């Protein structure tokens, strides 16, 4: 963190705290490393939530691909799995079961992220107070928390999406064992896995926003007094 000073024509001294993005990223990574086990818990909860979402989305993609390949032959198995033929009869529509699973996975993911980040802010009151006393601006505190959430989101969501994709393929091979998978296209499945990954990253940033704003608005004197 550095201080840039300029002297306008009026003669007043203007001071601005500057923290380069490279240094911000380094601090975010170091913070995650110091709190390795806490970071692992947060990441693991995100992995599970996104794996659940990825499993649901890629499972639907597999079902649509099988319906495209086998048509009416695959319909009994797909119907028993909770899918329904759309009104035009040309594809599958999301059933109530699928919609509930997606909604539940998103809810679990969001609540887990917000809870983990709120605990992280609470644990770091003293650190945040010291940074504010040293001159850290609100936007610097906010940036650090967002960068930490972005790192966890990219890594955790990526692992979760891949896990969900693998689990979905394995479950489909077992559940639809009577059908031929040889013509199955992986592109729709990867697209759904990518959607789950992007959702996880977005929710990671959204989930940390409120805790990060709380951290940025903390008054140093109040924080230091509470620590004593």
């Amino acid at each position: 963190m550095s201080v840039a000073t300029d002297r306008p024509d009026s003669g007043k001294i203007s001071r601005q705290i500057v923290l380069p993005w490279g240094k911000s990223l380094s601090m975010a990574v170091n913070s995650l490393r110091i709190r390795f086990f806490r970071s692992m818990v947060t990441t693991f909860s995100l992995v599970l939530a996104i794996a659940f979402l990825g499993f649901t989305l890629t499972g639907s993609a597999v079902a649509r691909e099988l319906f495209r390949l086998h048509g009416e032959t695959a319909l009994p198995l797909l119907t028993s799995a909770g899918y329904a033929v759309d009104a035009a009869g040309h594809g599958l529509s999301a059933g109530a079961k699928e919609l509930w699973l997606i909604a539940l996975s998103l809810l679990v993911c969001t609540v887990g992220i917000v809870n983990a980040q709120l605990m992280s802010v609470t644990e770091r009151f003293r650190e945040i107070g010291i940074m504010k006393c040293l001159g850290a601006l609100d936007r610097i505190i906010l940036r650090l928390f967002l960068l930490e959430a972005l790192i966890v989101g990219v890594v955790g969501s990526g692992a979760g999406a891949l896990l969900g994709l693998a689990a979905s393929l394995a479950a489909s091979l077992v559940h639809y064992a009577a059908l031929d998978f040889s013509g199955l296209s992986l592109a729709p499945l990867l697209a759904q896995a990518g959607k789950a990954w992007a959702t996880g990253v977005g929710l990671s940033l959204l989930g940390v926003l409120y805790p990060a704003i709380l951290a940025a608005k903390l008054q140093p004197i109040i924080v230091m007094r509470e620590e004593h």
Side-chain angles (χ1 to χ4, degrees), residues 181-224:
F181 281 72
S182 59
L184 189 73
S185 174
L186 289 178
L189 279 66
L190 293 175
Q192 295 302 316
K195 186 184 296 184
W197 174 79
T199 300
V201 174
L203 287 179
S204 294
L205 294 175
L206 183 64
V208 79
L209 192 58
Y210 174 67
I213 292 175
L214 286 182
K217 296 299 182 182
L218 287 175
Q219 297 299 319
I221 186 61
I222 297 176
V223 173
M224 301 304 287

Side-chain angles (χ1 to χ4, degrees), residues 55-198:
F55 177 84
T56 304
L57 293 178
T58 53
S60 300
V62 171
R64 286 189 289 269
E65 280 294 296
L66 291 175
F67 183 75
R68 178 183 64 83
L69 291 172
H70 303 288
E72 296 294 330
T73 305
L75 194 55
L77 285 174
L78 298 176
T79 303
S80 67
Y83 300 102
V85 180
D86 60 22
H90 301 304
L92 294 181
S93 59
K97 176 183 175 181
E98 180 187 3
L99 294 176
W100 274 109
L101 285 174
I102 292 175
L104 179 61
S105 61
L106 290 175
L107 178 62
V108 169
C109 182
T110 304
V111 171
I113 292 170
V114 174
N115 182 60
Q117 294 297 343
L118 280 172
M119 287 190 295
S120 176
V121 172
T122 303
E123 290 178 348
R124 297 166 65 179
F125 269 6
R126 183 174 179 81
E127 175 188 336
I128 296 167
I130 292 174
M131 291 178 65
K132 298 295 286 287
C133 288
L134 292 175
L137 302 178
D138 290 355
R139 65 172 179 268
I140 293 177
I141 304 296
L142 185 63
R143 182 198 302 175
L144 291 175
F145 275 93
L146 288 175
L147 283 174
E148 289 181 25
L150 181 62
I151 295 170
V152 171
V154 169
V155 175
S157 298
L162 291 176
L163 180 61
L165 174 61
S168 177
L169 283 173
S172 297
L173 288 171
V174 172
H175 190 75
Y176 310 122
L179 301 176
D180 182 15
F181 281 72
S182 59
L184 189 73
S185 174
L186 289 178
L189 279 66
L190 293 175
Q192 295 302 316
K195 186 184 296 184
W197 174 79

